[in-house]
Amino acid sequence: MLDATYRAARGRIGALAAGLGDHQLRTPVPATPGWTVHDVLAHLVGGAADVLAGRLDGAPGDSWTGRHVAERRLRPIEELLDEWQRAAPAVESSLPQQHTGPNLAADAICHEADLHEALGLPRTDREHWQPFLDVMGYFPGRRLRDTATLVITDELGQEWRCGSGTSVTVLRADGYELLRGVFSRRSRRQIAAWDWSPEPLGQLVDGFGAFGPRDDDQPIPAG
């Protein structure tokens, strides 16, 4: 499944990137401060190239991702896409058996949405990211255990129940926004503004995202 997900995401991102002009490639990406659209593409390509080369020291930390960008900052988009095409089969063959290290399928899905939001495009299609929401919807309540219960429901009625405590917090939110929050792509203020009952504790908001909290509000694309 992950190999097909990655292959499809690479195809969509590649088609988008191939049609971008220089100005669009220089557009800052709010989800990844300090990076442009070109930088995000460089990271995606660099991650695949590192899997091919077995160069995973430091993955998936900032030094690892930063190297992808630094090594490819001056390369034209056509070269990046060619490199990605050469490296992609190694990523695809590794994904079904992958248990440790960076999940490049999830990374591609996350950064595809980053690019859409940066470029003012509509949100990505639900069928592409729903499998990740199915699993990651449990992440915000991972630390609750027997101290409290968190019940999350999306607009389609899908439910995630975490914890077993008597104190119950209910969150009703759009599925796309939930996943973006879990990917740490929504700010504390944006997450706290969702439909919570009762109002969430700060530690629940701070622990919502897998990559830690953020304070910079993010652009929300049209549905």
Side-chain angles (χ1 to χ4, degrees), residues 28-60:
V29 179
T32 55
W35 282 8
T36 64
V37 168
H38 185 282
D39 293 337
V40 171
L41 295 167
H43 156 58
L44 288 167
V45 174
D50 277 0
V51 170
L52 178 62
R55 192 182 180 190
L56 298 177
D57 291 347

Side-chain angles (χ1 to χ4, degrees), residues 23 53-54 61 67 73 77 88 101 108 111 123 133 135 140 150 154 169 174 178 203 214:
H23 176 72
R67 177 172 54 75
R73 181 157 277 141
I77 197 65
H111 287 308
R123 66 170 61 175
L133 178 61
V135 176
L150 172 64
D154 73 4
T169 299
D174 175 84
L178 285 173
Q203 63 185 20
R214 66 188 307 154

